[in-house]
Amino acid sequence: MSNLGHSTNDFDARLVIGPIQVGGLLSAALFGCLSCQSYVYFARFTNDHLILKAAVSAVIFIQLGHFVCMISILWTMTVSTYGDLSQLKVLPLAADLAIPLSAFTAFIVQSFYAFRLWKLTQNIFLPILCEIISVIAQVSTLILSSYAFSMTDLTTFEDNRIVLITLSLIARAVCDIITTISLVWSLRKKRRFDIENVTSTIIDQLIYWTTETGLATSLMAVIVAVLFLVLKQNFVWFGAWLLLPNVIGNSLLASLNRRLLLRETQIASTQSRGYSFNTTMFRAGYNQSQTDLTDLKDLKGRNVEVFQEAERSMDRE
């Protein structure tokens, strides 16, 4: 009894409640962004492949469950168990449920990026490597979640399962980094062989957006892993980990919804070329003939084909 009382007195609830509360509130804000992006996606991309729509729907519903878990965690830790430090030495049941939900979100999105990498490069090695690493992270996380349901002490659980936690976090980070670098390298390689100005502009935008969304998930995964290895005693890593699935989900929808900007770029470029073509002909003193109109339509058609090819590289189709 004296050892139990001493352990309870040494336990600092702020190091558990604080990071989880901040992480939970920020995760709720990111879920709001995910909901807005979901509305835009389903409203504007009605012709996307059914499998892609199913993947996006799965991410949304999984994150809805994650959001409900966040509400339950915050309620349990700050209201129903207020003043009872012994209850804070074990994570609430909702936190145990949030672990596999987060894993499934990450696995779906990483599988999508691996498939996109295969469609872009037509090389099976890197996509398979990324998928294997993602499966390793997924399996280790699911095994970890099974142990979490039988947890009796949070600190002891963290010490005993350090290998599984480290493996799952590092595997996620490595998968994201490899996928991002491979996608950017493949796009830059394609750019060197394209002479069309419109194509180069679109590919430049794809490179920028791929780097931006890829770095968001990669850096977040790396930050969680580093915090766990360096500051695991204060559970800051767990608060950051609560943000990770919503960051991943938002990166997926951001990469899909940005196709709207690609369309605007293609339309603006086509109109600019058409205006320049007509102005040059007028200044030269020529009349617009039927042959000129045919050439202009062909030019626009080529630009449309270029855009469609770049857009298809971002889809699952």
Side-chain angles (χ1 to χ4, degrees):
M1 290 293 293
S2 60
N3 291 336
L4 178 60
H6 179 71
S7 176
T8 303
N9 292 332
D10 290 342
F11 180 74
D12 191 348
R14 295 173 299 177
L15 299 180
V16 178
I17 296 178
I20 292 178
Q21 187 173 42
V22 173
L25 293 175
L26 292 178
S27 179
L30 289 176
F31 178 74
C33 297
L34 181 69
S35 301
C36 295
Q37 290 204 80
S38 303
Y39 173 80
V40 173
Y41 172 76
F42 285 107
R44 301 301 297 273
F45 298 102
T46 57
N47 295 326
D48 273 1
H49 198 282
L50 183 60
I51 296 179
L52 180 57
K53 290 182 178 180
V56 174
S57 300
V59 169
I60 295 169
F61 283 110
I62 290 173
Q63 287 309 112
L64 176 61
H66 186 271
F67 175 67
V68 174
C69 288
M70 289 300 99
I71 296 176
S72 178
I73 292 171
L74 293 178
W75 177 267
T76 301
M77 301 189 76
T78 60
V79 179
S80 61
T81 62
Y82 179 76
D84 188 356
L85 297 182
S86 62
Q87 295 295 323
L88 296 177
K89 293 182 71 64
V90 178
L91 287 178
L93 178 61
D96 300 333
L97 293 174
I99 295 175
L101 292 178
S102 301
F104 282 117
T105 295
F107 181 73
I108 291 173
V109 176
Q110 288 180 340
S111 298
F112 164 77
Y113 284 135
F115 179 79
R116 176 197 280 184
L117 179 60
W118 173 71
K119 294 290 288 184
L120 184 63
T121 62
Q122 295 300 313
N123 187 333
I124 200 66
F125 173 73
L126 283 176
I128 288 181
L129 176 62
C130 293
E131 194 63 22
I132 289 175
I133 297 174
S134 181
V135 169
I136 292 173
Q138 181 73 6
V139 172
S140 60
T141 305
L142 293 179
I143 294 174
L144 183 67
S145 65
S146 66
Y147 288 123
F149 285 103
S150 58
M151 180 195 313
T152 57
D153 183 85
L154 184 57
T155 304
T156 304
F157 172 81
E158 188 179 42
D159 293 334
N160 293 340
R161 309 302 173 189
I162 185 172
V163 175
L164 277 176
I165 298 173
T166 304
L167 179 62
S168 63
L169 295 177
I170 292 179
R172 293 288 184 205
V174 170
C175 182
D176 287 336
I177 292 172
I178 293 177
T179 304
T180 301
I181 294 175
S182 300
L183 285 171
V184 172
W185 176 80
S186 300
L187 288 170
R188 290 182 64 87
K189 185 178 178 181
K190 283 182 176 293
R191 189 187 187 282
R192 290 199 298 265
F193 296 100
D194 289 314
I195 58 176
E196 289 281 350
N197 185 50
V198 178
T199 309
S200 299
T201 301
I202 291 175
I203 292 179
D204 286 340
Q205 288 181 333
L206 288 174
I207 292 173
Y208 174 75
W209 293 337
T210 301
T211 305
E212 189 178 54
T213 55
L215 282 179
T217 57
S218 301
L219 287 177
M220 193 66 201
V222 170
I223 288 172
V224 175
V226 170
L227 288 176
F228 172 74
L229 295 174
V230 177
L231 300 173
K232 65 177 182 177
Q233 69 277 4
N234 58 17
F235 297 96
V236 172
W237 69 271
F238 191 78
W241 176 82
L242 294 175
L243 296 174
L244 184 59
N246 273 309
V247 172
I248 294 174
N250 274 285
S251 72
L252 170 66
L253 283 164
S255 64
L256 294 174
N257 290 337
R258 275 174 167 170
R259 290 176 293 172
L260 293 172
L261 299 179
L262 285 179
R263 291 177 180 176
E264 293 177 359
T265 300
Q266 188 273 334
I267 293 173
S269 179
T270 301
Q271 292 175 346
S272 176
R273 284 194 171 200
Y275 175 78
S276 177
F277 181 84
N278 290 330
T279 302
T280 302
M281 296 300 290
F282 175 78
R283 289 180 178 178
Y286 290 104
N287 294 323
Q288 188 72 18
S289 64
Q290 186 65 30
T291 303
D292 296 330
L293 291 174
T294 302
D295 292 340
L296 181 57
K297 291 179 180 178
D298 291 341
L299 177 61
K300 292 181 178 180
R302 288 197 301 271
N303 287 337
V304 171
E305 292 175 358
V306 165
F307 164 72
Q308 289 175 344
E309 181 181 356
E311 186 180 28
R312 281 196 298 271
S313 69
M314 300 181 63
D315 292 337
R316 295 180 64 100
E317 301 182 14

